Amino acid sequence: MTDIWNRIYFPLAKVRRSRPSTRESVYHTGPNALRALDEMGLTEAMMEHADQKVPDQRAFRFVSGLPGHGHILDYKALPEDVGLGIHRAAFLDSLVGLTDPAIIHFNKRCTSISRNYSRQVIHFKDGTIFETDVVLGADGIRSTVRQAVSDDPESEQRVVFTRTVAYRALLLWEGVKRAGVTLELTERPHCIVGVDKHIITFPIKDGKVINVVVFCTDRSIPAGSVEIPAHKWVTPAAEQEILDAHEDSGAEVRKLLNLITNPSKWSIHTVDPPLDSFVKGHIALVGDAAHAMCPHLGAGVGQGLEDALVLCKLLTHPGTASTNLQDVLRVYDRVRQPRANMVLERSAMAGELYESLRNGDNSAIIQSLRINLAGTVGFYSSPRSRS
């Protein structure tokens, strides 16, 4: 194969290197994602920037967020069910050192793609253009490349507000303990199940810091009926806003939430309906551009890594040449589109389960939850399906 990588262009979502902050996310990768990193030779670089020395088990404990905080489910992990948590800024730092500055160009925003005979022409906001044989669009949930694949001038309308908002915080465990929280949050992740809301906690930095994400859903809004301008997807929020949403929650939850200061509110969006194809001709979508999903299974980053692995395997295969690139991308689509969209749909289903309690007697709901949660989380326990 003739140096095909010099004739492929990757429009990427905006990359910003920064110090970790409470307003950025921590990426959690599961077994499949770790295998993908290993296959691409990225594991060592990632581990150098992660807080963990080695990947560890990430078996969730599910408890009620209502008064009493009753036990719902302890998910029993298999020995191979290991994961890795890494802050977004550290994740980016681990990749920057592996890039070739001779072929990478930053601060370029793709505005459209056209064709010049068999070549793809990428147009940028700064007025420049670039011709290439293949375009791999990893330009995020508000993808420009998606329009070229879907042939839909209104393709951005596929990105919809899920009616769910998230508030993020990184809390020092010592402060959490001093506040009187007795839930043991340092050893394993927790999902605190509530009424139209839930909380995810993950221990990071060897349990010294607790990553907290608070989700609240307004189910009085018809799905897909509210459009939020892109510049308002992340906005400042008042601490009281979070507490008001948890008036019916138990003491443990309220003690935890009282520690959150200067929160930001993230409006959760997804690609909906899912795309029928991630590929058109010599253009392919990758990651959130193809299958932006709810974060409720922690699988979004992992699915993007699986995309990258499949493309690396196909594009570096000895049989790949400029004459069969369209067929190669069709294979990528046949492998990735069904699986990624299935995970997208299961992520939305998981969010419904996590917020299915009601005020009053929840005995029957909790019994049903135990069965459904075991199936939803257990999906990732099969060797062919873990993400």
Side-chain angles (χ1 to χ4, degrees), residues 115-134:
R115 291 188 64 181
N116 181 14
Y117 298 101
S118 63
R119 303 270 284 171
Q120 311 302 311
V121 182
I122 305 170
H123 301 259
F124 295 100
K125 188 175 181 179
D126 61 9
T128 60
I129 63 172
F130 187 89
E131 285 197 12
T132 183
D133 290 328
V134 173

Side-chain angles (χ1 to χ4, degrees), residues 167-184:
Y167 308 86
R168 303 180 188 274
L170 297 177
L171 302 178
L172 293 175
W173 171 243
E174 285 301 319
V176 174
K177 191 165 56 174
R178 281 197 302 271
V181 175
T182 59
L183 287 172
E184 182 45 69

Side-chain angles (χ1 to χ4, degrees), residues 57-247:
Q57 282 196 334
R58 303 203 159 245
F60 264 88
R61 182 183 181 214
F62 295 84
V63 299
S64 169
L66 295 175
H69 302 293
H71 169 78
I72 295 177
L73 178 71
D74 273 319
Y75 175 66
K76 304 302 181 184
L78 299 174
E80 60 268 33
D81 285 338
V82 294
L84 174 69
I86 182 169
H87 200 281
R88 177 183 181 274
F91 180 86
L92 294 176
D93 281 341
S94 68
L95 298 178
V96 166
L98 303 175
T99 58
D100 181 353
I103 61 173
I104 270 205
H105 304 274
F106 291 102
N107 300 315
K108 306 285 283 187
R109 183 175 293 277
C110 173
T111 56
S112 65
I113 298 173
S114 61
R115 291 188 64 181
N116 181 14
Y117 298 101
S118 63
R119 303 270 284 171
Q120 311 302 311
V121 182
I122 305 170
H123 301 259
F124 295 100
K125 188 175 181 179
D126 61 9
T128 60
I129 63 172
F130 187 89
E131 285 197 12
T132 183
D133 290 328
V134 173
V135 177
L136 304 180
D139 52 339
I141 187 170
R142 297 195 294 269
S143 171
T144 298
V145 181
R146 187 187 304 124
Q147 182 174 322
V149 170
S150 68
D151 271 338
D152 180 4
E154 305 296 330
S155 66
E156 280 201 8
Q157 291 184 6
R158 281 184 178 267
V159 178
V160 300
F161 175 50
T162 61
R163 305 178 294 175
T164 298
V165 297
Y167 308 86
R168 303 180 188 274
L170 297 177
L171 302 178
L172 293 175
W173 171 243
E174 285 301 319
V176 174
K177 191 165 56 174
R178 281 197 302 271
V181 175
T182 59
L183 287 172
E184 182 45 69
L185 304 177
T186 62
E187 299 296 327
R188 60 191 299 190
H190 280 64
C191 178
I192 302 174
V193 181
V195 180
D196 294 330
K197 52 188 169 286
H198 72 282
I199 301 171
I200 299 292
T201 70
F202 262 94
I204 60 175
K205 294 186 180 295
D206 296 323
K208 296 182 179 66
V209 176
I210 308 300
N211 179 35
V212 180
V213 189
V214 182
F215 295 92
C216 300
T217 303
D218 185 352
R219 288 184 169 79
S220 69
I221 302 172
S225 65
V226 174
E227 185 174 339
I228 299 177
H231 69 279
K232 292 186 177 180
W233 283 19
V234 182
T235 59
E239 292 90 345
Q240 192 61 42
E241 180 178 326
I242 305 175
L243 295 173
D244 288 347
H246 287 79
E247 287 182 343

Side-chain angles (χ1 to χ4, degrees), residues 10-58:
F10 302 78
L12 301 172
K14 182 178 180 182
V15 174
R16 176 173 60 86
R17 295 178 66 187
S18 64
R19 290 180 178 272
S21 78
T22 59
R23 297 190 179 188
E24 291 184 356
S25 54
V26 175
Y27 293 156
H28 297 283
T29 57
N32 270 354
L34 289 177
R35 283 196 292 273
L37 287 170
D38 196 48
E39 286 280 334
M40 292 186 286
L42 299 175
T43 304
E44 184 177 346
M46 202 68 62
M47 293 305 300
E48 287 177 359
H49 290 78
D51 297 320
Q52 302 165 229
K53 293 183 176 64
V54 294
D56 59 11
Q57 282 196 334
R58 303 203 159 245

